Amino acid sequence: MRIDVGLARRDTPGCERVVHLNNAGASLQPRHVLDATIAHLRLEAEIGGYEAAARADGAVERVYDAAAELLGCARDEIAFTDSATRAWCAAFYAFGFRPGDRILLSRAEYGANAIAAWQVARRTGARVEVVPDDGHGQLSVDALRELLDERVRLIAVTHVPTHGGLVNPAGEIGEVARAAGVPFLLDACQSAGQLPLDVGRLGCDLLTVTGRKWLRAPRGTGLLYASRELAEQLEPAMLDLHSAEWVAADRVEIRPDARRFETWEANVAAKIGLGVALDYALGWGLDAIWDRVRALGAALRAGLAAVPGVTVHDLGQVKSGIVTFTVAGRSADAIRAALRAEGINVSVSLASSARYDLDRRGLPELVRASIHYYNTLAESERLCNTVARLARTASAGQRL
Ligand SMILES: Cc1ncc(COP(=O)(O)O)c(C=O)c1O
């Protein structure tokens, strides 16, 4: 199926107001998501929060089925969280690392994951190592294979990074991890909703997602997939009355399923919105979304690369809808602000969110444009034309 772009845009009120190329930050929500979220907030105000949750039980529970459909797993392997970082940390801190354990991370790793790994290494004596990239700038599967030994407790990889078009070869990494019997945690924060994901084919045991980016859900939503086998071996670093049951004064039983990583309290309206967003994405189909995102991303990348003074920095053999670039003579923030003044949303990636990669490449900051299926080639051209004007004025030494 192809995406009906006209319909997708009519479903998206924000398309009338902005050229939104910050989908890697937070996408524009479809009105179905907005309406469902607001309706639940209104119900909470009218009849009470607990009573509204009880009435909306079906919509709340839909999140688990829709997420299971998106990821090709069972509903009891899904936990709802309030962000991808929370999902990642819930899984990561449950490993109970010990001195001498080795934790392998990707060079594209997201800053928050690297920070958590740094803390755990400092507290426990585990060692964090970064797997080298191959000649395409994606994780080298051969290098990973060579690094493996019996002390490796976890392979954690960022599928699509925050700061570039790279798509890491997750399926091949999963094969290596499976063969070695090492748990594999995939940060799919920037890939979920952008490209098809199937945990069986990816070979991952844990996978993390945020709602607000490519899935177009409300902010403050996320998901953790934890395989049945691994979930029951991982004791969450934090428990509450939902993740565990206080069965006797001196005895607690931890839930057997992935919801052991949840907390009791949740933003129910946002959770319902996430369920609607998942169904909305599934309605288009992830293959159709990916075909269009990839084509629009390639066109935008080519358009920007052709602008004098612009350098595009995306790595990898397969590239996503994230396009990163620099403009000679202009800071990334100046470009972002100038585009914003023209009604075009992009964002800035700083080295502090991806130091393993950006420090090595000597790139302190990048402009990040991220294009979704509801964007158009005309919007992409408008961005390129505006950037070309900003680059020309920079080369003429003019201030913005
Ligand atoms: C690759 C990657 N992982 C994780 C995150 C964290 O997501 P969240 O802000 O939902 O915690 C981000 C956010 O930009 C990201 O780009």
Side-chain angles (χ1 to χ4, degrees):
M1 190 184 106
R2 283 163 64 95
I3 303 279
D4 178 341
V5 181
L7 177 60
R9 291 179 71 78
R10 285 195 297 283
D11 280 352
T12 307
C15 285
E16 287 176 16
R17 304 188 57 140
V18 284
V19 173
H20 191 70
L21 298 170
N22 188 15
N23 295 290
S27 284
L28 298 177
Q29 293 174 29
R31 63 184 158 72
H32 312 60
V33 172
L34 187 65
D35 292 349
T37 308
I38 291 173
H40 190 77
L41 285 175
R42 192 163 287 127
L43 191 64
E44 285 183 342
E46 285 168 1
I47 70 166
Y50 289 20
E51 295 72 13
R55 195 185 285 181
D57 191 48
V60 174
E61 286 299 310
R62 177 64 200 152
V63 169
Y64 299 95
D65 293 306
E69 209 177 307
L70 181 84
L71 301 175
C73 63
R75 75 191 310 276
D76 66 349
E77 295 177 306
I78 297 291
F80 173 77
T81 66
D82 57 8
S83 73
T85 301
R86 195 82 82 174
W88 200 92
C89 287
F92 184 72
Y93 282 88
F95 269 84
F97 292 103
R98 287 194 287 268
D101 284 348
R102 297 172 65 209
I103 302 166
L104 303 186
L105 300 183
S106 59
R107 194 167 280 293
E109 209 60 35
Y110 185 63
N113 306 349
I115 287 171
W118 171 87
Q119 185 190 38
V120 162
R122 204 172 50 119
R123 280 182 178 172
T124 66
R127 239 176 51 215
V128 176
E129 294 166 56
V130 178
V131 182
D133 283 342
D134 66 12
H136 301 285
Q138 62 202 23
L139 185 138
S140 163
V141 179
D142 290 335
L144 172 66
R145 214 177 273 114
E146 278 173 28
L147 281 170
L148 291 176
D149 66 17
E150 71 291 343
R151 289 168 309 159
V152 175
R153 287 281 314 284
L154 177 68
I155 299 168
V157 170
T158 292
H159 195 191
V160 170
T162 186
H163 63 286
L166 166 72
V167 182
N168 259 324
E172 290 172 59
I173 296 166
E175 259 177 52
V176 173
R178 282 232 165 126
V182 178
F184 173 28
L185 163 56
L186 185 66
D187 175 344
C189 180
Q190 292 287 5
S191 52
Q194 180 174 187
L195 53 94
L197 295 172
D198 180 295
V199 292
R201 273 192 229 132
L202 292 165
C204 60
D205 307 283
L206 300 155
L207 179 147
T208 55
V209 171
T210 207
R212 71 180 185 279
K213 299 182 187 286
W214 304 89
L215 283 169
R216 310 181 63 195
R219 295 196 65 171
T221 58
L223 295 168
L224 169 65
Y225 154 76
S227 74
R228 273 184 194 146
E229 298 71 37
L230 193 58
E232 58 187 22
Q233 295 167 34
L234 293 179
E235 182 177 317
M238 194 209 88
L239 294 171
D240 76 351
L241 280 169
H242 167 84
S243 53
E245 193 182 347
W246 196 15
V247 289
D250 60 351
R251 204 158 57 82
V252 168
E253 280 173 11
I254 305 175
R255 278 185 78 118
D257 59 10
R259 293 196 209 186
R260 59 174 47 198
F261 294 107
E262 293 185 344
T263 52
W264 186 86
E265 175 57 347
N267 182 337
V268 178
K271 190 171 180 180
I272 291 170
L274 173 60
V276 174
L278 287 163
D279 277 333
Y280 189 80
L282 291 168
W284 290 117
L286 271 298
D287 287 318
I289 291 175
W290 180 223
D291 282 350
R292 182 165 168 81
V293 167
R294 215 161 27 155
L296 286 174
L300 176 55
R301 205 168 281 118
L304 284 167
V307 174
V310 170
T311 310
V312 171
H313 295 280
D314 302 321
L315 303 173
Q317 267 181 310
V318 179
K319 294 190 182 68
S320 76
I322 299 179
V323 182
T324 48
F325 61 99
T326 46
V327 179
R330 293 270 183 247
S331 72
D333 205 50
I335 296 291
R336 184 198 57 73
L339 290 169
R340 182 75 201 90
E342 308 245 355
I344 303 171
N345 294 345
V346 297
S347 62
V348 170
S349 287
L350 297 175
S352 55
S353 59
R355 284 216 181 276
Y356 294 148
D357 182 39
L358 291 180
D359 281 0
R360 198 184 47 125
R361 289 199 276 155
L363 292 168
E365 55 171 30
L366 297 164
V367 186
R368 180 183 70 181
S370 43
I371 196 156
H372 216 333
Y373 62 87
Y374 61 79
N375 292 121
T376 62
L377 277 175
E379 288 180 317
S380 169
E381 278 163 22
R382 203 173 133 198
L383 174 75
C384 292
N385 292 338
T386 314
V387 170
R389 182 158 45 76
L390 296 169
R392 266 198 310 277
T393 58
S395 74
Q398 289 169 20
R399 285 166 175 260
L400 280 179

